[in-house]
Amino acid sequence: MDLYSEISYIKGIGPKMKELLNNCGINNVIDLLLYFPRDYEKILLDKNLDSTKDGNKVVINCTVIKIDRDVRTKTKRVISTVVFKYNNGIIKGKWFNQPYMKEKFVLRKQYTISGKIQSFKGERMLINPTIINNKDNIIMNSSIQYLSDKNENAGYKLVPKYPLREGLTNNFLIKIISETLKCITISENLPIWLIKKYEFCSLDKAIRNIHNPESNEALLKARKRLKFQELFIFSLKMIMLKDFINNSRGIAFSISPDLKVLKEQLPFNLTNSQSRVIREILLDEKKNKQMNRLVQGDVGSGKTIVAIISMFNVVKNGYQAALLAPTEILANQHYLETQQILKSFNINISLLTGSVSQKQKEIIKSELKEGNIDIIVGTHALLEENVEFKNLGIVVTDELHRFGVIQRSMLFNKGKNVDILVMTATPIPRTLSLYLYGDLDVSIIDELPPGRQKIETFYVEHNKKDKVYKFAAEEIKKGRQAYVVCPLVEENDELSINSVEKLYRDLVNNYFKEEEISILHGKMANKTKDEIMNKFKNGEIKILVSTTVIEVGINVPNATVMIIENAERFGLAQLHQLRGRVGRGSFKSYCILIANIKNDIVEKRLQILKNSNDGFQIAEEDLKIRGSGELFGVRQHGESNFILSDLINDIELLKAANAEAKKLLKSQKEEDIKFKNEIIKKIEQTSQFICFN
C-alpha cells in the first residue's frame, strides 16, 4: 500500500464504508491522511476522581458493585443508577431516560467506561457513561501523557474529533487512520535548509501527531509544520501563476466612445472610488497582456456597475462577456440590472442557470456558440462542457471564494487569454490581501454611494432577547420585514438544520404567531430556496429564519431588521456581510447581535462592529485582535482549498512562507531546483497545498 492506493486496500474498509468515505471526498490514502480532525477532546484517566473538575470527560477501569432500581421524578424523568468501584474509591453512573443502559452491566464484572464528571448536592457522579469495548479501546491502549497542573493527579489523552457524515463514526475514522499509519512512511518534501531554519518536525511526524497527538506540545508543532507547508505551497503557486500571467499575451481592447454615452445615461453618479477602479480596469483592457484583477468592495459599494461597464467596453470591441454568480438569486439580480443599465444599446443579454428549461438552454448554447449573445450571466451552468463561445473576451466572477480554483479556470479556458475580473464583498485587510491575492492586481472600492443610511447596530446578552423580538414585531407591524440568522453549528449539516428548525418553532410559538414566517437552509433544493427568497423579496414572507445561506443574496429594500443569534460564534467579516442584507432601501435599518459575551475580547469585537459600518476598518481591527493568537468565531478562509490555515490568525506564518517561497524561486542550488520541479508537478496534479512526495 502506498499514498496513492485506493482506500479499499485499507484493512476494515468494505464496499459500504468505501462509499461513505468517497462521499466525504476520501478516495485514496492521501485523502484519508489529509482528513484532519476538526477538534480534540481531552480524556482524563484519573486516579482520584474527587479532584477532577466538573465537565471533564474521564475513562476509568472499574467493577460493578450495585445496580439500583430506577427512580421516576415528578417531571416524569427516569433516572437509572449503577454503582462502580474503581482505583481509589466508589462512584455512581447515572443515566436520564435511558433505562436500557443499566441492563448492559453485570454485578461483579469489570468494565472500562467513559463519561463526564458532575457534582450534585455534594455527590460526584458520571453522567451518561458508555462502555468502551476492548477492540475500540483506543484511549486505554494509547500512551498517556501527564498533566503539569499540581492540583490534578491525572494522565490524559487527546482524542481527535473528525467532521462526520451520516454512517461514519469517530471511532471508525480513528481506527482506520491508525491502521493506515502503521503501514506507511511519509517521505520529507520540504528543502532540508527550510526545515532546519524553522526547526520543523518531519512531515511524517506531523501527520502522525495531527491524528494521534503524543502531547499538546507535539500537536502544536505538527499544526505549525502543516500550516507552514500549505501556506508555502500556496505562496509558490501564487507567485508562479503571477509570473505566468505577466508573460501571457492578452487581448488589447480599445476604449469605446460609447462609454461616455453610457456614463451620461446612468440614473446615478459614480463615486470617486468607482470611477478610479473603472479607470484601472479600462487601462488593463487596453494592454495586450491578460487582465487578472480583483475588485474588493464593501457591501453596497456598487461593484455590479463596475462589472457592467467593464463588460460593456469588451462587447463594444466585438467580443463576448460572461458573468458567473454563485447562486441563481444573485445571477437573476445581475441579469436584471445589466439589462436595465444597457437597455438602450442594442446588446443581447441572456441568463443561463440550472432552472432554465432544457429547450431554452439548448437555444442559449447555440446562440452563444454562434456569437449572437453578447453578455451571458449565469451560475455553475456556464461551466458545463457543451457551453461554447464564439469570441469570449472577459470573464467576471462574483464572490470568487464561492468557486474553487478548478471551477473558475473551466470558464476562463473557454476563451483564449481572456481578461479576468473577480469581485468580492468580503473586506480583507490590505496587509493580508497582498499575500492572499499574489496572482491578482487588487482594486478597492472604499466608499459607499451617497444616500445610503448607516445601519444601527446593537448587541445584547441572551437574557434580553425578548426585547429584540418585540422590537422586530413592531417593525413588521409598520410593514417592514426581518431576517433571523440561526446559530452557527460547527461543521455538521444535520445539527445546523436542527438548530434553524428549533429556532423557527420558538419564534412561531412565542413571538410571531400571526405573521408569515418561513425557514431557509443550505440543504434545501435550489429551486425551493429560490422560491422562498422570491416570496420574501415580494413581501409574502415577513420573517425569514435562515442559516448563513443569505450571506450573499437578493436585494430586499423592505427588510430593515437583521437579528443574529449566538453572534459570538461568527467572524466579524461574516457578521458584517450578514448586516449588509438590510439597509438597502429608504427605511431606517437595524442589526441586532444576540450573544454570549463570555469575556472582554468577545465584547471588544462586537463593539468594533457596533461602532463601524466600514468593512475594511472592521477587517483591520479584527486582524489586530486575532493576530495575537486568540481564536474566535468561525474560521474565515480567503481560499477554500486550505485545510488547516486561518489566514487572519496565521498572517505571520503566511508572511514567512511567502518570503521563503520568493527566495526558493530565485535559488540556483541543485536541491532547490529539484524541489521546484517536483512541486510544479504536484501543483499541476492537485489543488491541495499539503503535498506528499
Side-chain angles (χ1 to χ4, degrees):
M1 185 169 67
D2 62 29
L3 288 165
Y4 299 97
S5 298
E6 285 193 14
I7 51 170
S8 52
Y9 286 98
I10 299 169
K11 184 182 173 184
I13 297 179
K16 187 180 177 184
M17 279 302 176
K18 180 178 182 289
E19 187 181 346
L20 289 171
L21 290 165
N22 289 165
N23 291 339
C24 294
I26 301 171
N27 299 298
N28 55 30
V29 172
I30 289 179
D31 294 335
L32 181 65
L33 296 183
L34 291 177
Y35 199 73
F36 293 157
R38 61 174 173 80
D39 202 357
Y40 298 85
E41 185 173 40
K42 183 189 282 184
I43 306 288
L44 301 178
L45 277 102
D46 245 314
K47 293 177 182 176
N48 182 5
L49 296 183
D50 292 336
S51 65
T52 305
K53 293 174 184 174
D54 280 6
N56 274 336
K57 194 168 185 179
V58 300
V59 172
I60 56 171
N61 289 313
C62 59
T63 304
V64 176
I65 60 172
K66 189 181 179 186
I67 300 175
D68 289 347
R69 295 177 68 177
D70 289 347
V71 174
R72 191 175 292 273
T73 67
K74 291 179 183 178
T75 56
K76 297 185 178 179
R77 291 174 88 194
V78 177
I79 302 174
S80 305
T81 306
V82 175
V83 184
F84 301 100
K85 184 179 181 182
Y86 71 102
N87 192 31
N88 275 342
I90 291 170
I91 193 161
K92 290 179 180 178
K94 287 192 180 285
W95 295 266
F96 299 91
N97 293 326
Q98 299 177 67
Y100 55 87
M101 283 300 296
K102 71 178 188 301
E103 295 169 10
K104 296 177 183 282
F105 295 92
V106 178
L107 273 172
R108 291 180 291 281
K109 192 173 176 183
Q110 288 190 337
Y111 296 90
T112 300
I113 61 171
S114 174
K116 282 190 178 178
I117 286 285
Q118 196 64 50
S119 299
F120 182 70
K121 293 184 177 178
E123 186 180 29
R124 306 282 279 165
M125 60 189 72
L126 281 179
I127 302 299
N128 297 329
T130 55
I131 297 170
I132 299 177
N133 297 319
N134 286 334
K135 65 177 182 178
D136 295 326
N137 195 354
I138 298 147
I139 301 158
M140 298 298 287
N141 296 330
S142 301
S143 59
I144 302 302
Q145 308 305 317
Y146 286 89
L147 295 172
S148 58
D149 187 342
K150 292 176 184 176
N151 297 323
E152 293 199 42
N153 180 24
Y156 72 85
K157 179 69 182 170
L158 291 171
V159 179
K161 307 287 282 185
Y162 291 94
L164 299 176
R165 291 195 180 182
E166 191 177 350
L168 280 179
T169 66
N170 203 61
N171 268 356
F172 174 74
L173 284 167
I174 292 173
K175 191 175 178 182
I176 61 163
I177 290 170
S178 177
E179 287 292 333
T180 304
L181 287 170
K182 285 177 190 174
C183 310
I184 211 155
T185 302
I186 300 161
S187 304
E188 191 50 71
N189 68 348
L190 280 184
I192 300 302
W193 62 265
L194 198 52
I195 294 167
K196 286 180 178 176
K197 180 175 179 178
Y198 290 94
E199 298 180 339
F200 289 135
C201 63
S202 70
L203 182 58
D204 186 79
K205 194 167 186 178
I207 292 293
R208 292 178 194 281
N209 273 294
I210 203 86
H211 290 293
N212 182 23
E214 294 172 1
S215 64
N216 198 50
E217 185 184 0
L219 175 61
L220 291 173
K221 284 182 178 178
R223 286 177 65 84
K224 185 179 179 183
R225 160 68 205 252
L226 294 170
K227 281 183 177 185
F228 182 89
Q229 178 125 0
E230 66 179 347
L231 294 172
F232 179 67
I233 301 298
F234 170 76
S235 297
L236 279 175
K237 180 180 166 183
M238 291 297 104
I239 296 164
M240 288 190 287
L241 189 56
K242 181 89 168 180
D243 288 345
F244 174 79
I245 290 164
N246 285 340
N247 295 323
S248 297
R249 289 187 66 81
I251 308 161
F253 300 106
S254 60
I255 303 301
S256 169
D258 285 342
L259 281 168
K260 189 176 180 183
V261 180
L262 173 59
K263 186 179 177 182
E264 288 169 354
Q265 286 186 7
L266 290 176
F268 49 81
N269 293 322
L270 295 171
T271 63
N272 292 332
S273 194
Q274 284 172 317
S275 297
R276 184 191 71 248
V277 170
I278 289 165
R279 277 196 303 275
E280 289 169 353
I281 292 166
L282 292 176
L283 283 171
D284 279 352
E285 289 185 353
K286 275 180 72 176
K287 294 173 185 173
N288 64 354
K289 76 167 195 158
Q290 188 181 31
M291 174 171 73
N292 203 36
R293 185 168 290 277
L294 167 71
V295 174
Q296 282 190 75
D298 207 348
V299 178
S301 62
K303 296 181 299 302
T304 309
I305 187 61
V306 171
I308 291 169
I309 291 170
S310 307
M311 293 190 294
F312 176 79
N313 189 58
V314 168
V315 168
K316 283 295 174 180
N317 277 265
Y319 286 79
Q320 293 168 293
L323 171 53
L324 181 63
T327 65
E328 289 207 10
I329 291 167
L330 204 53
N332 270 287
Q333 197 168 292
H334 286 325
Y335 170 67
L336 293 172
E337 192 167 348
T338 306
Q339 273 194 323
Q340 178 63 27
I341 296 292
L342 303 180
K343 62 186 177 185
S344 62
F345 288 95
N346 194 29
I347 288 175
N348 191 357
I349 304 160
S350 283
L351 176 70
L352 184 62
T353 65
S355 61
V356 171
S357 70
Q358 194 58 40
K359 185 179 177 182
Q360 188 60 26
K361 274 183 186 174
E362 295 308 317
I363 294 169
I364 291 170
K365 288 172 185 177
S366 174
E367 294 283 289
L368 261 182
K369 192 173 180 180
E370 293 296 320
N372 297 327
I373 292 173
D374 301 308
I375 297 176
I376 185 80
V377 182
T379 55
H380 296 75
L382 286 177
L383 305 176
E384 293 173 11
E385 269 187 47
N386 59 359
V387 175
E388 297 177 55
F389 294 80
K390 184 180 181 182
N391 203 17
L392 184 61
I394 187 171
V395 171
V396 181
T397 308
D398 195 8
E399 291 304 333
L400 82 162
H401 62 285
R402 302 285 169 131
F403 299 96
V405 175
I406 294 168
Q407 285 177 312
R408 297 202 300 273
S409 66
M410 283 167 69
L411 188 52
F412 305 152
N413 291 331
K414 289 180 184 288
K416 190 176 180 183
N417 297 332
V418 300
D419 278 359
I420 297 163
L421 185 68
V422 288
M423 305 193 297
T424 181
T426 304
I428 298 155
R430 291 162 180 81
T431 49
L432 182 56
S433 63
L434 292 171
Y435 299 98
L436 180 56
Y437 296 120
D439 63 320
L440 297 164
D441 296 310
V442 179
S443 293
I444 296 175
I445 304 175
D446 51 10
E447 62 180 309
L448 296 178
R452 249 188 98 94
Q453 291 192 47
K454 182 186 174 186
I455 301 162
E456 292 293 333
T457 304
F458 305 94
Y459 60 89
V460 298
E461 285 274 12
H462 279 282
N463 58 9
K464 294 182 181 174
K465 67 187 288 181
D466 279 3
K467 289 183 180 178
V468 174
Y469 287 115
K470 283 175 186 173
F471 172 76
E474 287 169 12
E475 281 291 298
I476 288 160
K477 281 176 187 172
K478 294 177 188 174
R480 307 287 82 81
Q481 290 164 271
Y483 294 98
V484 180
V485 176
C486 81
L488 196 71
V489 185
E490 295 296 333
E491 297 176 37
N492 189 311
D493 291 331
E494 196 174 316
L495 285 176
S496 292
I497 294 165
N498 289 341
S499 178
V500 75
E501 287 176 348
K502 184 180 175 185
L503 178 59
Y504 168 76
R505 288 193 298 272
D506 180 39
L507 297 182
V508 169
N509 294 332
N510 298 310
Y511 301 104
F512 305 112
K513 293 178 182 178
E514 297 174 10
E515 302 293 348
E516 187 62 38
I517 181 168
S518 192
I519 193 168
L520 187 73
H521 58 71
K523 279 293 188 180
M524 288 176 167
N526 285 336
K527 188 177 179 182
T528 307
K529 283 191 278 190
D530 290 344
E531 283 173 4
I532 291 168
M533 281 304 297
N534 282 321
K535 280 185 179 179
F536 187 65
K537 183 190 177 188
N538 298 332
E540 297 168 54
I541 294 169
K542 297 298 180 186
I543 305 109
L544 188 63
V545 185
S546 172
T547 56
T548 55
V549 293
I550 54 98
E551 185 182 344
V552 176
I554 205 160
N555 198 10
V556 185
N558 194 48
T560 59
V561 181
M562 167 62 72
I563 298 168
I564 304 170
E565 292 258 5
N566 286 101
E568 77 282 354
R569 296 189 190 179
F570 295 83
L572 284 191
Q574 196 171 27
L575 288 172
H576 180 63
Q577 283 279 320
L578 290 166
R579 173 168 63 179
R581 292 298 101 215
V582 296
R584 292 172 168 259
S586 56
F587 309 109
K588 185 73 181 166
S589 294
Y590 308 87
C591 176
I592 307 169
L593 312 170
I594 300 172
N596 173 19
I597 305 170
K598 52 194 173 187
N599 57 47
D600 291 343
I601 296 175
V602 170
E603 183 158 23
K604 188 177 179 183
R605 295 179 73 245
L606 296 176
Q607 193 78 36
I608 289 167
L609 204 73
K610 180 180 184 293
N611 293 340
S612 177
N613 272 265
D614 181 340
F616 291 99
Q617 184 189 340
I618 290 165
E620 292 287 355
E621 292 298 321
D622 201 20
L623 181 62
K624 288 176 190 173
I625 297 172
R626 290 160 63 100
S628 66
E630 296 283 356
L631 289 168
F632 301 99
V634 293
R635 287 164 49 146
Q636 296 174 28
H637 301 309
E639 169 57 56
S640 61
N641 295 74
F642 286 126
I643 302 172
L644 282 177
S645 303
D646 177 335
L647 295 180
I648 298 270
N649 288 306
D650 298 324
I651 187 167
E652 294 305 320
L653 206 55
L654 176 59
K655 286 178 184 177
N658 192 270
E660 298 299 348
K662 287 175 180 173
K663 192 184 296 182
L664 180 104
L665 287 172
K666 290 176 183 175
S667 172
Q668 294 302 311
K669 291 180 185 175
E670 189 178 338
E671 178 197 8
D672 293 343
I673 292 168
K674 185 182 175 186
F675 174 77
K676 271 186 285 188
N677 293 336
E678 285 176 356
I679 224 68
I680 288 166
K681 286 180 194 172
K682 294 286 179 264
I683 288 170
E684 288 169 355
Q685 288 171 7
T686 177
S687 62
Q688 297 286 13
F689 303 133
I690 297 176
C691 302
F692 292 100
N693 284 334

